[in-house]
Amino acid sequence: MMAGAAGLSLGARHLAHAAGYGGDLTDVRAAIDRNQPQAVKRLQDWIGLASNAAEGRNIQEGAQYMSELLWSAGFQSVRVVQTDGSPGVFATMDNGSARTVGMYFMYDVKQFDPSEWSAPPLEGRIVDRPGLGKVMIGRGAVNQKGPQASFLAALHALRDAGRKPPVNIVLIAEGEEEIASPHFPQIVRRPDVLAALERCKEVWMPTAAQSATGDVTIELGAKGLIELEMTCSDKAWGRGAANDIHSSYKAMLDSPVWRLIKALNTLVSEDGNDPAIDGWFEHVQPLTARQKEIIADQAAHTPEAVLKHEMGVQRWVRDLPYREALERLASQPTVNIEGMYAGYTGPGGKTLLPSKAVAKLDLRLVPDQTATDAAAKLKAHLARRGFGDINVNVTGGYNPTQTDERSSLIRACVDVYRTAGLDPNLSPRAAGSWPGYIFTDPPVALPAGHFGFGHGAGAHAPNEYYVIDSTVPMLRGMAGATQGYVAFLYALERG
Amino acid sequence: MMAGAAGLSLGARHLAHAAGYGGDLTDVRAAIDRNQPQAVKRLQDWIGLASNAAEGRNIQEGAQYMSELLWSAGFQSVRVVQTDGSPGVFATMDNGSARTVGMYFMYDVKQFDPSEWSAPPLEGRIVDRPGLGKVMIGRGAVNQKGPQASFLAALHALRDAGRKPPVNIVLIAEGEEEIASPHFPQIVRRPDVLAALERCKEVWMPTAAQSATGDVTIELGAKGLIELEMTCSDKAWGRGAANDIHSSYKAMLDSPVWRLIKALNTLVSEDGNDPAIDGWFEHVQPLTARQKEIIADQAAHTPEAVLKHEMGVQRWVRDLPYREALERLASQPTVNIEGMYAGYTGPGGKTLLPSKAVAKLDLRLVPDQTATDAAAKLKAHLARRGFGDINVNVTGGYNPTQTDERSSLIRACVDVYRTAGLDPNLSPRAAGSWPGYIFTDPPVALPAGHFGFGHGAGAHAPNEYYVIDSTVPMLRGMAGATQGYVAFLYALERG
């Protein structure tokens, strides 16, 4: 769910240092190259099994497949963990190290419509992308199977080179990330999982952090999120008609569609850009001086025109200057309508008065908002205006998450990128969301973040891809990303 | 398009008189009974060919089928007339009478979703409906193929009885009634059609005017209508993103969904029940004393509880008393959202910021509003509020229509119903719409209305039906309706 909101570049303040982690890794690199065909095939096969909680697609199968991937990568204990929703996977690998590292995986992917794709979304077809190299097209290619498969390839390569990974690993995977992880707390807060996480100093997730030009960004946090459906129905309201009825009756009957519009209208400012829900900003923290400094660096290092072109955008909200737009991206809570429907939506018209109207919303949260408080505030806001009968079904939520840039996790990220000659950029907070709060909030309370070389795009969109072989000088393909994960494990060992 | 909004009953002021029109019709009645199996089969076959302009379904086929039905019923001249949209049919039957009668048919039907039906919508299955009799279920059964097929059966029976119809007939059929007849003026205003209509004293359409208990209602007019789509797209707006984009960007990008909601919000009062479009009531005429009198009769003769039960309704707008609700139904212009969609509408959520949002509206008009002026006022209202980039695509429109209760057409209706022992109710204006204005407005300027015994329901909805054999004492089935059309032609001859 993070993808699509990263990729803003920031100039570094430090020089890369020359020494690599793990000493001479020639043997591991050779193993990575040798295993590359199998690694690519492994990713393609995984893409072939799309799991999706929203549609109830391949849920048990996806968890089973995830555990087989972990077994085969050398985890000694792998357990499918049931929840009230989709199961997760809890796996551990004891390598006799003094250092234990926590990891977070997701095995689910976003829904897709094959008719919108240039290649079948579950085939994992490799195509030439001029100016980029060979990319694999597929649902989940970058979000998140590609980076995760590259990490698994690192474990295979270490074993193939006759090495043990330098750290012990505690890995927790879920299958509901794309519906905002409603049951993930049930997994993380199991006594056995909590006990395992107590041995860790951080939790991280493999990602493809490089932009198409090779720049890399480290996110120091992420916005929170609640996703919900608002349904206005005549049935709950006690007005209008029990079923869709001929539209001529509008003259004497109320309309749930107008009612939903009137209710939605109260949720945002006149231009639709600021939340207007009662008390919404009560716990919202302004950006710190340091966060503003980081954003100013972002603005200075990623040309506005480039970003606008990539996004297909002409103007920011309120025609804001670039830096202010970026500050909003990091700091502003949002109320977005991701989908909406009522009545007849086919070709032409159909003169009916609908008996139901639905809006799907996602609301991004910033520190110190919480998902629970946000949902309660929305419901209270509606009830106060007489819209208490409008059903608000919260399908998932994350708190915001924040990790200190001085933590050993972020220092390891920075060091490994620098060692590779990259100048890592910082972002104070991703505008996208991930369930990092489950690790950064009590009872776990650990730094949490993402690491990984490589690039992809199109998360949640058609033609999602992950770069397999890069023709861009500083941009790593899959094998390079795999090398990066090996180096990262050695860096964490020392951190 | 009328169906679904009629059926309010009104006590009669006059006694039925005993004499029938056309003298002894025993021979015709026998022919009707003899031909009944073929008449039912003819209706089933017609239902089997669903024409629908909104979906571009069976347009030419529907016009062709319509003309074959007219040929076989004895029309001497039948021509398919092309337009810029769906073709119509122009047919004449010269019976050597001094009196020529204009008729209006529609061969199109509303869209349908077979999964919502208890019988296949194109089968015309006949089923027992306890308390009603045998009904035929099918799309178009009552709106308008059933009544029209019953009228054609009257022509077949007259011929079979060795008679000529007592009047000459000019018949105009269209295939776009359900999309608000955008090209019907092109048919009616052809010189040959206008010349034929000059010989007529009225234009009428066969209908099933009886309620389930047998009461019959005569509509003295109908509201007008414009149907349109409002589309707010980032492309036209020059804001937001060119395509759907990850919803996290809402913090820095405008949303066309919020913009559409803000624009829609200005179109109606806070409770969604009154149009709030600038100048909307400029030409709206209040009900006359006579119209209010008619409505008071309606309220007195159709129990409120019965109507509410039939409609599946608990409350009228603003908890109005019954009579005031009925006055609104006849007199108030409406702004209704018949459909709406944006972004992701499947199961669960999908965190995207849509690049487009669409609302489908139907706006009912009353005298002296016109469709052209209404569309212009809506566009001006939006432009004045800065929403000029929101595309307003008017797909069809009718002016309101009104016919004098003292016209020979209405007097013939009243007389034939009374002769059958029914106490015809009046309605000042149907809340539903039909293109009667094309006949009542210049250059044709004739009385126009509906006539017909029989009953059906579910126009525009699943399980639409038409009564074939009635078990309700005063309610006529198909053969009885056919007899009624024979009597009506004789009544028109004398009027």
Side-chain angles (χ1 to χ4, degrees):
Chain A
M1 194 164 273
M2 283 281 287
L8 295 174
S9 155
L10 162 71
R13 300 198 160 63
H14 317 270
L15 292 172
H17 55 84
Y21 290 99
D24 182 2
L25 291 171
T26 312
D27 56 335
V28 184
R29 282 189 194 132
I32 290 171
D33 290 343
R34 205 160 53 234
N35 292 344
Q36 176 72 353
Q38 295 95 300
V40 168
K41 177 70 166 41
R42 193 183 297 121
L43 173 55
Q44 283 172 322
D45 290 347
W46 198 6
I47 284 173
L49 182 84
S51 297
N52 178 316
E55 299 175 330
R57 175 179 183 145
N58 291 329
I59 296 306
Q60 297 295 336
E61 295 84 346
Q64 195 55 42
Y65 204 90
M66 179 81 261
S67 31
E68 281 157 24
L69 286 170
L70 296 174
W71 280 118
S72 92
F75 282 80
Q76 297 123 350
S77 163
V78 180
R79 291 162 59 188
V80 171
V81 176
Q82 299 296 332
T83 71
D84 291 339
S86 304
V89 181
F90 169 42
T92 55
M93 182 191 274
D94 182 353
N95 296 311
S97 170
R99 183 73 161 82
T100 302
V101 168
M103 293 192 69
Y104 167 64
F105 268 41
M106 58 187 275
Y107 67 80
D108 62 324
V109 297
K110 208 69 185 173
Q111 304 94 302
F112 55 92
D113 176 355
S115 72
E116 299 174 345
W117 289 61
S118 64
L122 302 188
E123 181 186 309
R125 184 180 295 177
I126 295 176
V127 303
D128 270 316
R129 178 74 48 108
L132 209 52
K134 288 191 194 308
V135 307
M136 186 185 297
I137 295 178
R139 174 49 85 227
V142 65
N143 178 208
Q144 200 76 323
K145 289 178 175 174
Q148 292 172 164
S150 298
F151 174 78
L152 296 178
L155 299 183
H156 282 274
L158 283 163
R159 185 172 53 193
D160 200 42
R163 295 185 185 225
K164 275 194 175 180
V167 294
N168 310 319
I169 302 173
V170 171
L171 190 149
I172 307 150
E174 70 156 322
E176 297 186 337
E177 204 275 351
E178 296 294 4
I179 60 166
S181 308
H183 301 97
F184 193 41
Q186 292 181 14
I187 303 170
V188 176
R189 290 170 192 167
R190 286 165 54 107
D192 53 350
V193 175
L194 282 179
L197 285 172
E198 268 182 25
R199 299 192 297 272
C200 303
K201 285 174 72 176
E202 67 286 294
V203 180
W204 69 282
M205 180 182 221
T207 194
Q210 293 188 278
S211 75
T213 55
D215 292 335
V216 77
T217 297
I218 300 170
E219 306 282 3
L220 299 175
K223 284 184 177 174
L225 171 78
I226 55 174
E227 254 191 298
L228 55 94
E229 273 193 10
M230 282 174 59
T231 303
C232 184
S233 75
D234 287 343
K235 209 167 177 180
W237 189 14
R239 307 194 68 89
N243 299 104
D244 294 354
I245 197 166
H246 194 273
S247 66
S248 57
Y249 286 120
K250 177 68 201 81
M252 64 201 299
L253 292 182
D254 295 278
S255 161
V257 190
W258 281 124
R259 184 166 168 78
L260 183 66
I261 285 173
K262 293 289 174 177
L264 289 169
N265 184 58
T266 68
L267 302 184
V268 295
S269 57
E270 269 313 294
D271 67 0
N273 289 325
D274 286 335
I277 301 165
D278 296 343
W280 203 249
F281 288 85
E282 185 185 356
H283 301 299
V284 170
Q285 300 303 315
L287 292 172
T288 64
R290 171 63 183 145
Q291 287 173 323
K292 286 193 177 186
E293 185 184 40
I294 291 173
I295 292 169
D297 277 348
Q298 289 183 303
H301 286 84
T302 299
E304 182 175 16
V306 169
L307 186 63
K308 280 186 168 171
H309 177 74
E310 275 176 12
M311 291 169 66
V313 162
Q314 297 178 51
R315 293 177 184 84
W316 310 122
V317 291
R318 298 172 191 158
D319 293 325
L320 286 179
Y322 186 38
R323 202 175 76 186
E324 286 177 43
L326 292 181
E327 286 182 359
R328 274 186 67 92
L329 185 63
S331 67
Q332 280 296 302
T334 60
V335 178
N336 178 57
I337 297 180
E338 58 185 28
M340 183 169 71
Y341 63 91
Y344 177 71
T345 58
K350 197 167 177 183
T351 48
L352 58 83
L353 170 55
S355 59
K356 195 179 91 164
V358 177
K360 294 167 183 274
L361 279 75
D362 69 278
L363 295 80
R364 305 272 164 185
L365 310 175
V366 300
D368 295 324
Q369 294 182 291
T370 65
T372 307
D373 185 55
K377 281 195 162 79
L378 171 64
K379 289 179 185 176
H381 171 99
L382 292 170
R384 210 169 288 125
R385 284 159 181 78
F387 295 120
D389 59 285
I390 294 181
N391 182 262
V392 176
N393 179 26
V394 178
T395 54
Y398 300 149
N399 292 342
T401 179
Q402 205 72 34
T403 284
D404 195 313
E405 64 178 307
R406 293 158 299 183
S407 65
S408 58
L409 170 65
I410 302 303
R411 283 190 285 109
C413 291
V414 170
D415 284 352
V416 174
Y417 289 135
R418 279 194 194 136
T419 304
L422 285 171
D423 202 8
N425 311 306
L426 293 183
S427 157
R429 184 178 301 141
S433 302
W434 74 298
Y437 84 95
I438 295 173
F439 306 115
T440 57
D441 281 3
V444 180
L446 290 174
H450 291 74
F451 169 83
F453 294 90
H455 172 70
H460 299 195
N463 301 319
E464 179 179 354
Y465 70 87
Y466 181 60
V467 174
I468 302 297
D469 289 317
S470 165
T471 55
V472 178
M474 293 305 288
L475 176 60
R476 294 195 181 186
M478 190 173 181
T482 302
Q483 286 177 26
Y485 291 122
V486 172
F488 191 56
L489 292 180
Y490 282 103
L492 288 172
E493 181 198 14
R494 298 213 297 200
Chain B
M1 196 164 273
M2 283 281 286
L8 294 175
S9 156
L10 162 71
R13 306 200 155 59
H14 321 268
L15 290 171
H17 53 85
Y21 290 99
D24 181 3
L25 291 172
T26 312
D27 55 336
V28 184
R29 284 190 195 131
I32 290 170
D33 290 344
R34 207 162 49 237
N35 292 343
Q36 176 72 353
Q38 295 93 303
V40 168
K41 177 70 167 40
R42 191 182 299 120
L43 173 55
Q44 283 172 322
D45 289 347
W46 198 6
I47 285 173
L49 183 83
S51 297
N52 178 316
E55 298 173 332
R57 174 178 183 146
N58 291 329
I59 297 307
Q60 297 296 335
E61 294 85 346
Q64 195 54 44
Y65 204 91
M66 179 81 261
S67 31
E68 283 158 22
L69 285 171
L70 296 174
W71 280 119
S72 95
F75 282 81
Q76 296 124 352
S77 164
V78 181
R79 292 162 58 187
V80 171
V81 176
Q82 297 297 332
T83 71
D84 292 338
S86 304
V89 180
F90 170 42
T92 56
M93 182 191 273
D94 181 355
N95 295 311
S97 173
R99 183 74 162 79
T100 302
V101 168
M103 292 192 70
Y104 167 64
F105 267 41
M106 57 187 277
Y107 66 80
D108 60 325
V109 297
K110 209 67 187 174
Q111 304 95 301
F112 54 92
D113 176 354
S115 71
E116 300 173 344
W117 289 59
S118 64
L122 303 187
E123 181 185 310
R125 183 180 296 177
I126 296 176
V127 303
D128 270 315
R129 178 75 48 108
L132 208 52
K134 286 191 196 305
V135 307
M136 187 185 297
I137 295 178
R139 174 48 86 226
V142 67
N143 177 210
Q144 200 78 298
K145 290 178 174 174
Q148 292 172 163
S150 297
F151 174 78
L152 295 177
L155 299 182
H156 282 273
L158 282 163
R159 186 173 51 193
D160 200 43
R163 296 184 184 225
K164 274 194 177 180
V167 294
N168 310 318
I169 302 174
V170 171
L171 189 148
I172 307 150
E174 70 158 320
E176 296 186 338
E177 204 274 353
E178 296 294 6
I179 61 167
S181 309
H183 301 97
F184 192 42
Q186 292 181 14
I187 302 170
V188 175
R189 289 167 192 170
R190 287 166 56 105
D192 53 350
V193 175
L194 282 178
L197 286 172
E198 267 182 26
R199 299 193 297 272
C200 304
K201 286 175 71 177
E202 68 285 295
V203 181
W204 70 281
M205 181 181 220
T207 193
Q210 292 188 278
S211 74
T213 55
D215 290 335
V216 75
T217 298
I218 300 170
E219 307 281 3
L220 298 174
K223 284 184 176 174
L225 171 77
I226 54 174
E227 254 192 297
L228 55 94
E229 272 194 10
M230 284 174 59
T231 304
C232 184
S233 75
D234 288 342
K235 210 167 176 179
W237 189 16
R239 306 194 70 89
N243 297 302
D244 293 355
I245 197 167
H246 194 273
S247 66
S248 57
Y249 287 120
K250 178 68 202 80
M252 64 201 298
L253 292 181
D254 294 278
S255 161
V257 190
W258 281 123
R259 183 167 169 77
L260 183 66
I261 285 173
K262 293 288 173 178
L264 289 170
N265 185 58
T266 69
L267 301 184
V268 294
S269 57
E270 270 312 295
D271 67 359
N273 289 325
D274 285 336
I277 301 165
D278 297 342
W280 203 250
F281 288 84
E282 186 186 357
H283 301 298
V284 170
Q285 300 303 314
L287 291 172
T288 63
R290 170 64 182 143
Q291 288 172 324
K292 286 194 178 185
E293 186 184 41
I294 292 174
I295 291 168
D297 278 349
Q298 290 182 302
H301 286 83
T302 300
E304 181 175 17
V306 169
L307 186 62
K308 280 186 168 172
H309 177 74
E310 273 176 14
M311 292 170 66
V313 161
Q314 296 179 51
R315 293 177 184 83
W316 310 120
V317 291
R318 298 171 191 159
D319 293 325
L320 286 180
Y322 185 39
R323 202 175 76 185
E324 287 177 43
L326 292 180
E327 287 183 358
R328 274 186 67 93
L329 184 64
S331 67
Q332 280 297 302
T334 60
V335 178
N336 179 57
I337 297 180
E338 58 186 28
M340 182 170 70
Y341 62 92
Y344 177 72
T345 58
K350 197 166 175 182
T351 48
L352 57 84
L353 170 54
S355 59
K356 196 179 90 164
V358 176
K360 293 167 183 274
L361 279 76
D362 69 279
L363 295 81
R364 305 273 164 183
L365 310 175
V366 300
D368 294 323
Q369 293 182 291
T370 65
T372 307
D373 184 56
K377 281 195 161 82
L378 172 64
K379 288 178 186 176
H381 172 98
L382 291 171
R384 208 170 290 127
R385 285 161 181 76
F387 295 119
D389 58 283
I390 294 182
N391 183 261
V392 176
N393 179 27
V394 178
T395 53
Y398 300 149
N399 292 342
T401 181
Q402 204 72 34
T403 284
D404 195 311
E405 64 178 305
R406 292 158 301 183
S407 64
S408 59
L409 171 65
I410 302 301
R411 282 189 287 110
C413 291
V414 170
D415 284 351
V416 174
Y417 290 135
R418 279 193 195 137
T419 304
L422 286 172
D423 201 8
N425 312 307
L426 293 181
S427 158
R429 185 178 299 141
S433 302
W434 74 297
Y437 83 96
I438 295 173
F439 307 115
T440 57
D441 281 2
V444 180
L446 289 174
H450 291 74
F451 170 83
F453 293 89
H455 171 70
H460 301 194
N463 302 320
E464 179 178 353
Y465 69 87
Y466 180 61
V467 174
I468 302 299
D469 289 316
S470 163
T471 55
V472 179
M474 294 304 289
L475 175 61
R476 293 195 182 187
M478 189 173 182
T482 303
Q483 287 177 27
Y485 291 122
V486 172
F488 191 56
L489 292 180
Y490 282 102
L492 288 171
E493 182 198 14
R494 299 213 298 201

